[in-house]
Amino acid sequence: MDSYLDEIKEKLLLSGMPYDVELIAAAYQLAFNAHEGQMRRSGDPYVSHPVAVALIIIDLGLDTDSIVAALLHDVVEDTPVPLTQIEKQFGPDVATLVDGVTKIGRIPFSSREEQQAENIRKMLLSMAKDIRVVLIKLADRLHNMRTIDSMPEKNQLVTSLETMEVFAPLAHRLGIRTIKDELEDLSLRHLDSVAYNEIEVALEHRKDEREALLENIKSRISERFKSLTLNVHIEGRVKSVYGIYRKTYMQNRAMDEIYDIYAVRIIVDTVNECYNILGVIHDLMRPIPGRFKDYISTPKPNMYQSLHTTVIGKEGIPFEVQIRTWEMHHTAEYGIAAHWKYKLGISGREQLDSRLDWVRQLLEIQREVNDSEDFIRSLKTDLAPDEVYVFTPKGDVISLPAHSTPIDFAYVIHSAVGHRMTGAKVDGKIQSLDYELKTGEIIEVITTSSITHGPSRDWLKIAKTGEARNKIRAWFKKERREENIVQGKSDIEKEFKRNGILIADAEHNEFVDSVAKRQHFNNTEEFLAAIGYGGILLSKIMPRVKDDYIKIAHPQTIQIPENITSRHTSGGIIVEGLENCLVKISRCCNPLPGDKIEGFVTRGYGVSIHKEDCPNVLQNKQNAEYEGRWVNVHWAENVGHSFKAGLRVVSSDRYGLLADLTSLLAGLHILIHAVNARELKSGLAEIYLTVNVVSISQLQSVISKFSKVQGVIEVSRSGDKR
Ligand code: MN
C-alpha cells in the first residue's frame, strides 16, 4: 500500500469525522497517475505536494470535497487531465474548487505597493465565491513555503514577500491563526534572516527557564483547581517569532518589555467558567493594572474571543494568561475554517451550502458588538459585488466599478491610452469594447500609434465610469470642434422635430442664436459644439427651448397688470402677475436659487433677473426712467434648472491644484463652463471658475469642499465671469 495514501487515511480516521474515504482515495489515485514522473525541486515525487496540501486541509477540518480538490489542485494546470474529467468523476463542486484554485494560481502578484497587496487580498476573496478555494490556496502556499529552501534564492525572496504581504494577512483576516503564524515565520526567515535568528536564539536561550516557569505556574493553577470540579485544560504557549519581531524591531521594544512572549492558556467548557477562572487567577497572582482585556464580550474583528490578563508570578516575572472555551479556542486557531470542523460533525454536508450565510451572520453579530473595526467593512467590500479587480499585463491591479468595460479600463490607465485604443484583449483573447470585465482577468489595451486617432462617440454609451466619459467628452471638445458643430446641429434638429418645434428657415438661425444666448454662450457655434461633445444635454434644456418657441409662435406683449393676482412660473422663477414670460438670468450677478432677486422687464427679452444687491439694481431701482419696470420675482419651489455661478479661489500655487479642483467638481457631476487661473505676485494663485449648479446649497457645498483642498486659502462667489 502507498505510504502517502496511508498517511491520509490515518489522518482522516483520527479526525473522527464522517469523510468519504473512498472518494478521497480515488482522488489520490488520479493525482498520483497524473503527476507520475513529475518531480518537486526537492527531489520528492510531485504528488507529495498535493498530498501535503490535503493533509493541511484535513487539519483545518474542511469537508470531503475540499480534500479531494486539494489533492487535485495542480492536476488541471500541470497535467493533461482536463477539468471535465474531474467534474465527471468527482462532481461539479470539486470541479469548481479546482478551477478556482487554478485561476488564483495564474494571478501575477508582482507589485509591492501596500494598496496593491490590499487589492489582491480583496480580489482573492471576491474571486473565490466559495471561501474553500481561498483556504486550499492558503494550504498550497503554506506547503510551498515549508519547502521553499529548495527554490533558487531570488525566488525565495519574492515568494516570501508575497506571502508576507498577501497570504499571511489573508489568513489573519479569516482568523486562521495557525496558518498565519507559520506563514509569517517562514517568510521572515528569508526576509530578515538576521533578526529571525537573533530572536530564535534568544528564545532557545531561555527555553529551559521558560519551561520551568510555565510548569511551575501550571502546577500552581492546577493545584488551585483541584477542589473545583471543573474540566480545565492548561497549556503554555510562546509567541511566534514574527509576533516578537513586530514588538521588538518594529515597535522598538526590548524583549524583556514584552509581557506576552510567554502565556498560559486555560481552556474550559463554558463562558461562565472563563470568568470564574479569571477570578481565581487574580486571587492567586497579582494582576498588572490595565492589562486585562475582555475579548469575550468584545471579540476581535477576526472573531477572536478570550479573556487576557497579565499577572506577576512568584518569580516576579510577568506573564499573560488567556482564558477561553473550547469553541473559542478552535475559532482562534482555525478562524473561518472552524465552521466546517463544527458543523460537519453535527449535521453533515448540507451545512456547507450555507457557508456564506454564516459569514453574513457573523458580520451581523460583529456589527452589533463592535462597529469600529475595519474587518467588517473590509470583508463586506470583499464580498460586495459592486467592484471588479483586473490586471494590467504587468500585473498591476486596477479596481473598477462592476460592469466596467475595456474602455473604462483604458481610460484609467491613461487618457492617451484610451484615446488611441483600437481594441482589447482579455486573458489573451480579443473581446469587443462593450465586454463586461470580470475580477481576475488580465486586460491588454490595443492602441494605434497614429496621433490623429481618437475615441468614438459610441463609447460614451458603452463606458460605465464617469472618468472615461469625461475624458472622451474632453477629447471631442478639444479635437473635433468642426465635427462637434455638425453633430450638435444634427442633434438639435432631431430634438426640435421630436418636440414639435417647427420654425421657418428664415427664422431658424435667429431662434437657435437666442437659445444659445439663453444658455450663456458667446456664440452659436460654441453652443452647437457643446451639444456635439456632450457638454450640454439637450434633454435638459428642451423644456425651456419649448417655452421660448411657444412665445415666438404665439407672441404676446408683456404688460404689467394693476393688481397682482396670480403667480406663474417660468424657468424656475415666479414672476408676480406675469404668465409664461421669458425669463433671463442676468449675467452681471448670476443669481442662484435661494438668492434674493429682483426682476426687470426688458424690451424684447422678457424679464431679466438680478440679485437684490446687484450694482445694477442698486443704481437703477429708484431711477424714474425705469419706473414700473421693476417686478417682484421669486424662485419656484422646485427649480429643475441649473445655473451658472462664478467662484474665486485663492490658493498657494502648487502643482496639480487645478486638477484637484476640477476633479472634485467632476466627482460632484458639476459642469465647468470656464476656468481662468493666474499667478499673483505673492506666489499665490487666483482661479476663477464658472460652474453649473442647481442651487445655492449645492454651491455652498462646493465652496466648503474647495476650502478643504490642500493649499486653498479663500473661496468666494464671484459675480464677475471672466
Ligand atoms: Mn500547488
Side-chain angles (χ1 to χ4, degrees):
M1 208 43 214
D2 193 303
S3 71
Y4 287 130
L5 187 56
D6 285 347
E7 204 180 339
I8 295 172
K9 283 185 171 166
E10 195 185 322
K11 222 177 185 121
L12 292 176
L13 250 174
L14 281 173
S15 75
M17 297 215 263
Y19 284 122
D20 186 341
V21 180
E22 254 173 62
L23 196 73
I24 292 169
Y28 170 75
Q29 215 38 256
L30 176 59
F32 182 87
N33 294 337
H35 291 298
E36 177 109 68
Q38 293 176 352
M39 297 294 242
R40 293 277 285 179
R41 244 170 205 280
S42 58
D44 291 328
Y46 194 89
V47 78
S48 66
H49 167 64
V51 166
V53 175
L55 293 176
I56 296 169
I57 291 297
I58 299 171
D59 276 339
L60 283 179
L62 263 62
D63 60 329
T64 297
D65 281 352
S66 308
I67 299 166
V68 169
L71 285 166
L72 302 175
H73 82 269
D74 278 334
V75 160
V76 175
E77 186 75 6
D78 299 339
T79 81
V81 176
L83 194 63
T84 46
Q85 187 186 329
I86 290 175
E87 176 159 4
K88 219 185 274 165
Q89 200 175 342
F90 300 98
D93 278 6
V94 170
T96 309
L97 292 176
V98 171
D99 191 39
V101 178
T102 307
K103 276 190 183 139
I104 287 181
R106 292 198 190 114
I107 296 174
F109 305 97
S110 65
S111 172
R112 298 277 147 269
E113 284 170 65
E114 179 62 22
Q115 178 63 35
Q116 196 78 349
E118 177 56 25
N119 276 344
I120 292 175
R121 293 197 289 271
K122 277 188 186 174
M123 182 184 54
L124 285 172
L125 287 178
S126 59
M127 243 177 107
K129 286 172 199 90
D130 190 326
I131 204 82
R132 290 176 296 178
V133 169
V134 175
L135 298 176
I136 296 169
K137 189 65 209 171
L138 281 174
D140 177 45
R141 175 53 61 118
L142 180 57
H143 183 245
N144 286 335
M145 283 303 292
R146 281 176 183 170
T147 54
I148 196 174
D149 285 344
S150 48
M151 298 299 283
E153 205 165 313
K154 188 177 157 265
N155 295 24
Q156 290 182 9
L157 279 179
V158 172
T159 309
S160 296
L161 195 57
E162 214 174 82
T163 303
M164 195 62 108
E165 287 183 337
V166 176
F167 291 97
L170 193 60
H172 178 61
R173 182 179 287 174
L174 297 174
I176 312 168
R177 196 198 58 80
T178 50
I179 290 187
K180 175 205 152 235
D181 281 0
E182 197 178 342
L183 286 177
E184 284 172 347
D185 282 2
L186 289 167
S187 307
L188 183 67
R189 202 156 62 84
H190 293 93
L191 294 174
D192 192 345
S193 54
V194 174
Y196 184 90
N197 289 332
E198 212 173 272
I199 293 168
E200 212 179 31
V201 166
L203 282 176
E204 186 61 36
H205 183 68
R206 303 188 193 182
K207 199 176 168 211
D208 295 342
E209 186 188 324
R210 178 179 74 233
E211 271 169 6
L213 175 83
L214 286 176
E215 233 8 85
N216 179 293
I217 295 161
K218 266 169 77 174
S219 66
R220 278 176 68 197
I221 297 173
S222 320
E223 187 65 28
R224 179 68 189 258
F225 287 145
K226 253 189 198 153
S227 53
L228 305 166
T229 52
L230 281 180
N231 185 14
V232 182
H233 172 84
I234 306 173
E235 61 182 32
R237 105 155 188 7
V238 184
K239 205 174 184 63
S240 74
V241 175
Y242 182 68
I244 296 171
Y245 176 81
R246 271 185 36 186
K247 293 215 164 166
T248 53
Y249 283 75
M250 290 153 89
Q251 296 180 12
N252 230 337
R253 283 197 268 177
M255 249 170 107
D256 294 341
E257 293 171 56
I258 307 172
Y259 290 138
D260 58 353
I261 289 185
Y262 319 119
V264 170
R265 192 173 282 153
I266 302 174
I267 307 170
V268 288
D269 291 328
T270 69
V271 173
N272 269 344
E273 285 167 16
C274 290
Y275 288 98
N276 288 341
I277 292 216
L278 178 75
V280 174
I281 294 292
H282 281 179
D283 191 33
L284 202 63
M285 283 166 280
R286 190 157 56 84
I288 296 182
R291 296 283 310 173
F292 169 64
K293 288 181 201 113
D294 184 351
Y295 294 122
I296 290 181
S297 65
T298 311
K300 282 196 188 180
N302 64 0
M303 310 174 258
Y304 179 87
Q305 285 186 296
S306 277
L307 299 176
H308 287 192
T309 184
T310 303
V311 294
I312 298 173
K314 235 198 229 148
E315 302 80 359
I317 299 169
F319 63 95
E320 188 176 83
V321 180
Q322 306 173 347
I323 307 163
R324 55 174 74 149
T325 65
W326 281 107
E327 191 174 347
M328 291 171 192
H329 182 60
H330 284 127
T331 303
E333 298 292 284
Y334 300 109
I336 215 162
H339 165 65
W340 283 273
K341 214 164 184 137
Y342 279 106
K343 295 292 163 70
L344 199 73
I346 300 162
S347 49
R349 298 171 67 129
E350 79 273 11
Q351 284 290 338
L352 295 175
D353 297 327
S354 57
R355 60 199 159 255
L356 284 181
D357 281 339
W358 178 76
V359 174
R360 268 179 230 116
Q361 271 171 30
L362 174 85
L363 294 177
E364 288 302 318
I365 297 163
Q366 297 253 324
R367 196 173 311 134
E368 283 162 26
V369 177
N370 187 352
D371 200 22
S372 67
E373 297 291 343
D374 69 343
F375 172 80
I376 301 158
R377 251 177 288 130
S378 55
L379 194 52
K380 255 166 73 183
T381 19
D382 296 341
L383 300 172
D386 54 5
E387 256 183 305
V388 292
Y389 301 93
V390 293
F391 291 99
T392 67
K394 280 188 190 154
D396 290 335
V397 180
I398 305 287
S399 97
L400 289 163
H403 314 297
S404 285
T405 66
I407 297 173
D408 299 295
F409 176 85
Y411 277 100
V412 167
I413 302 297
H414 197 278
S415 304
V417 174
H419 295 337
R420 295 190 192 174
M421 178 182 207
T422 56
K425 280 187 187 170
V426 177
D427 286 343
K429 252 194 257 159
I430 299 259
Q431 293 287 2
S432 62
L433 291 185
D434 59 357
Y435 176 85
E436 204 170 284
L437 304 180
K438 286 183 262 320
T439 288
E441 288 174 338
I442 300 169
I443 318 299
E444 188 186 336
V445 178
I446 305 166
T447 55
T448 164
S449 56
S450 149
I451 49 163
T452 52
H453 186 273
S456 145
R457 282 182 205 279
D458 296 338
W459 293 7
L460 286 169
K461 288 175 208 134
I462 299 170
K464 289 289 174 310
T465 57
E467 183 182 357
R469 282 201 298 266
N470 284 341
K471 286 178 174 172
I472 295 167
R473 266 190 222 115
W475 187 88
F476 278 108
K477 183 179 179 184
K478 193 163 157 261
E479 304 287 332
R480 290 285 189 270
R481 194 178 138 81
E482 296 308 312
E483 212 176 277
N484 289 335
I485 294 171
V486 173
Q487 180 75 34
K489 231 179 207 155
S490 114
D491 286 353
I492 205 168
E493 294 304 326
K494 263 188 233 151
E495 205 57 25
F496 277 7
K497 258 187 210 142
R498 244 167 44 87
N499 284 278
I501 298 178
L502 304 163
I503 302 174
D505 283 352
E507 286 164 7
H508 186 276
N509 286 350
E510 205 177 321
F511 181 66
V512 176
D513 285 351
S514 76
V515 174
K517 284 223 174 67
R518 285 276 301 267
Q519 295 301 322
H520 312 290
F521 279 88
N522 294 327
N523 64 60
T524 307
E525 285 199 337
E526 246 175 57
F527 170 65
L528 292 175
I531 294 170
Y533 70 76
I536 284 229
L537 287 180
L538 277 172
S539 56
K540 260 196 172 163
I541 67 165
M542 275 326 275
R544 263 177 110 168
V545 174
K546 244 174 135 173
D547 283 354
D548 291 357
Y549 169 72
I550 290 163
K551 252 160 268 147
I552 291 173
H554 316 279
Q556 70 185 77
T557 344
I558 297 170
Q559 278 178 355
I560 304 164
E562 304 273 306
N563 298 313
I564 293 160
T565 49
S566 61
R567 303 176 139 206
H568 294 280
T569 74
S570 176
I573 287 177
I574 298 165
V575 179
E576 286 190 358
L578 294 185
E579 205 170 328
N580 284 332
C581 68
L582 194 62
V583 165
K584 181 178 159 258
I585 302 288
S586 76
R587 292 172 68 187
C588 49
C589 56
N590 285 325
L592 287 177
D595 282 337
K596 289 215 164 115
I597 45 175
E598 294 282 346
F600 182 75
V601 183
T602 64
R603 293 186 205 280
Y605 296 106
V607 177
S608 76
I609 306 297
H610 297 259
K611 272 161 78 172
E612 199 181 59
D613 55 0
C614 170
N616 281 326
V617 176
L618 300 174
Q619 274 170 36
N620 298 317
K621 186 117 193 244
Q622 307 308 327
N623 193 329
E625 201 187 318
Y626 301 126
E627 211 193 285
R629 290 178 61 186
W630 289 99
V631 288
N632 288 334
V633 290
H634 317 275
W635 297 101
E637 293 279 325
N638 295 311
V639 181
H641 300 278
S642 55
F643 297 84
K644 283 190 176 184
L647 283 171
R648 174 175 177 268
V649 179
V650 177
S651 166
S652 55
D653 203 5
R654 68 169 173 89
Y655 181 75
L657 172 66
L658 200 56
D660 283 355
L661 297 178
T662 51
S663 70
L664 206 150
L665 290 170
L668 296 167
H669 304 287
I670 290 174
L671 204 67
I672 306 167
H673 286 284
V675 182
N676 197 320
R678 68 189 183 107
E679 206 178 320
L680 300 177
K681 276 192 204 113
S682 47
L684 298 177
E686 186 182 44
I687 298 168
Y688 284 94
L689 294 122
T690 309
V691 297
N692 234 28
V693 291
V694 293
S695 64
I696 281 278
S697 66
Q698 191 183 29
L699 184 66
Q700 262 148 8
S701 102
V702 171
I703 291 175
S704 92
K705 288 211 164 93
F706 271 10
S707 308
K708 287 177 197 137
V709 170
Q710 187 207 327
V712 168
I713 294 161
E714 190 192 317
V715 186
S716 54
R717 273 181 72 180
S718 105
D720 183 10
K721 201 174 80 76
R722 302 197 170 198

